[in-house]
């Protein structure tokens, strides 16, 4: 049984509760982060903490604790749950003032809700899926316009993953105005003639922590990177493709809408970037 963290308490998961009037439950009025754990250490913690603060600020929501306290909670959950490889999920909502209302509760009298729990994922770094590569489909992007805020509004991404599953694929890339925005839970890239292409940052996509690190590492490795809009047809004609996320790191893509990329196996650039990211991230883990 896992030990989880709820509003200042470490509890057995069976004893953890949140009010039915919590705005995260009623209004999806909350934000979240997912931090990977490798070798018992936190990957890119500082980046996730900074993005969390930005998400809270954009929604005019109070922080539930300081960055230092957040780090201490993460480490304690890793320790008590004996996580060597896995994930830590963090959610902060606007809390509950005891009833349902569209109007935000007074932040002076209503504390935010903070929930954290671990997921044990042995073999996270040495993933069989990464050796095989992912098959994706494309679907229409009908999410709200502030995708740069990491909110708990995950219904459509979940539906997208179910669409992919029904089509015999692993995931979906989202299309808006003829261009790829991102994956259901990751940033999207393709490689053509050695050049890595990905959509630039804006309110249209999540500002991925892994994305930022991977692009920096790619440039340090003297790989060419271009940030621009691109179509799904461009991606289908690519030599290779991949996604990045905190939970899957760099995931090669081998098929898009039934079109096989290259020889149908993970491409050399995606494979190398995954190796570099895991190596460098482990060195910097805390």
């Amino acid at each position: 049984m896992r030990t989880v963290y709820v509003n200042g308490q470490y509890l057995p998961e069976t004893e953890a509760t949140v009010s039915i009037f919590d705005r995260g439950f009623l209004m999806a009025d909350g934000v979240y982060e997912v931090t990977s754990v490798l070798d018992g250490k936190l990957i890119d913690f500082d980046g996730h903490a900074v993005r969390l603060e930005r998400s809270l600020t954009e929604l005019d929501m109070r922080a539930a604790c300081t960055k230092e306290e957040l780090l201490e909670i993460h480490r304690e959950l890793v320790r008590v749950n004996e996580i060597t490889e896995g994930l830590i999920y963090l959610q902060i909502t606007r809390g509950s003032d005891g009833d349902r209302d569209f109007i935000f509760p007074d932040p002076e009298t209503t504390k935010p809700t903070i929930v954290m729990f671990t997921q044990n994922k042995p073999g996270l770094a040495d993933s069989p899926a990464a050796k095989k590569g992912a098959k994706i489909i494309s679907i229409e992007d009908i999410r709200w316009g502030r995708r740069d805020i990491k909110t708990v509004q995950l219904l459509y991404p979940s539906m997208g993953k179910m669409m992919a599953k029904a089509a015999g694929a692993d995931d979906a890339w989202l299309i808006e105005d003829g261009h790829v925005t991102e994956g259901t839970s990751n940033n999207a890239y393709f490689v053509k003639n050695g050049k890595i292409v990905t959509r630039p940052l804006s309110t249209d996509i999540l500002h991925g922590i892994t994305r930022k690190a991977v692009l920096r590492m790619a440039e340090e490795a003297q790989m060419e990177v271009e940030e621009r809009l691109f179509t799904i047809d461009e991606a289908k004609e690519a030599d290779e493709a991949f996604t990045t996320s905190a939970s899957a790191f760099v995931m090669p893509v081998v098929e898009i809408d039934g079109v096989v990329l290259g020889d149908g196996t993970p491409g050399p650039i995606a494979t190398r970037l995954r190796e570099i990211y895991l190596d460098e991230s482990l060195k910097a883990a805390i």
Side-chain angles (χ1 to χ4, degrees):
M1 183 182 296
R2 284 175 293 187
T3 294
V4 302
Y5 180 89
V6 181
N7 294 332
Q9 291 184 293
Y10 294 94
L11 301 166
E13 60 182 295
T14 54
E15 297 178 18
T17 60
V18 174
S19 170
I20 64 167
F21 298 113
D22 191 276
R23 288 181 59 87
F25 172 64
L26 295 177
M27 306 284 187
D29 189 1
V31 300
Y32 80 102
E33 286 289 338
V34 182
T35 302
S36 290
V37 178
L38 294 178
D39 196 24
K41 296 180 180 180
L42 303 170
I43 302 296
D44 278 333
F45 174 81
D46 283 343
H48 289 288
V50 169
R51 185 172 62 184
L52 174 65
E53 182 178 2
R54 180 182 182 276
S55 293
L56 292 168
T57 299
E58 290 296 308
L59 295 180
D60 195 23
M61 194 181 298
R62 288 173 56 192
C65 59
T66 67
K67 178 182 174 182
E68 292 72 25
E69 290 169 336
L70 204 59
L71 177 57
E72 182 180 342
I73 299 165
H74 275 71
R75 284 176 165 164
E76 180 63 10
L77 287 175
V78 169
R79 186 189 69 81
V80 297
N81 291 300
E82 299 180 343
I83 304 297
T84 300
E85 288 193 339
L87 306 170
I88 300 182
Y89 178 95
L90 156 70
Q91 178 170 309
I92 298 176
T93 79
R94 209 177 300 271
S96 166
D97 63 356
D99 211 336
R100 182 184 184 277
D101 197 337
F102 281 93
I103 301 301
F104 292 173
D106 184 350
E108 296 301 319
T109 57
T110 301
K111 293 182 178 180
T113 296
I114 177 169
V115 172
M116 293 175 61
F117 60 84
T118 59
Q119 292 181 326
N120 190 34
K121 300 278 187 178
L124 186 65
D126 191 26
S127 167
K131 293 181 174 65
K132 182 178 68 172
K135 298 179 180 180
I136 67 165
I137 61 169
S138 59
I139 61 174
E140 183 182 1
D141 195 341
I142 58 173
R143 300 170 297 164
W144 83 314
R146 290 304 306 275
R147 301 147 196 168
D148 56 309
I149 307 173
K150 197 171 177 68
T151 73
V152 297
Q153 300 179 59
L154 297 173
L155 178 57
Y156 189 65
S158 182
M159 292 173 69
K161 288 186 184 293
M162 293 305 296
M163 293 179 212
K165 182 178 180 180
D170 301 296
D171 205 351
W173 282 5
L174 306 168
I175 313 296
E176 183 177 59
D177 297 329
H179 297 101
V180 176
T181 50
E182 56 192 343
T184 58
S185 59
N186 43 56
N187 292 117
Y189 314 73
F190 74 88
V191 181
K192 186 69 174 181
N193 298 325
K195 181 188 293 184
I196 300 167
V197 178
T198 192
R199 191 180 179 105
L201 294 180
S202 69
T203 58
D204 296 330
I205 67 171
L206 184 67
H207 299 190
I209 303 305
T210 308
R211 175 192 186 277
K212 181 179 180 180
V214 166
L215 290 183
R216 173 179 57 80
M217 292 172 188
E219 291 178 345
E220 289 174 353
Q222 299 186 326
M223 297 178 183
E224 187 177 0
V225 175
E226 182 179 7
E227 296 182 64
R228 65 168 175 83
L229 301 184
F230 66 92
T231 67
I232 196 70
D233 286 336
E234 283 186 274
K236 291 177 186 177
E237 295 173 359
D239 301 319
E240 57 178 294
F242 61 94
T243 62
T244 61
S245 66
S247 57
F249 313 121
V250 179
M251 177 60 65
V253 169
V254 297
E255 183 180 300
I256 301 175
D257 285 337
V259 177
V260 176
L261 304 185
D263 62 2
T265 62
I269 289 181
T271 300
R272 180 58 183 147
L273 281 175
R274 182 179 177 88
E275 292 172 350
I276 294 172
Y277 177 78
L278 287 171
D279 183 56
E280 294 300 318
S281 295
L282 273 168
K283 290 177 182 177
I286 60 174

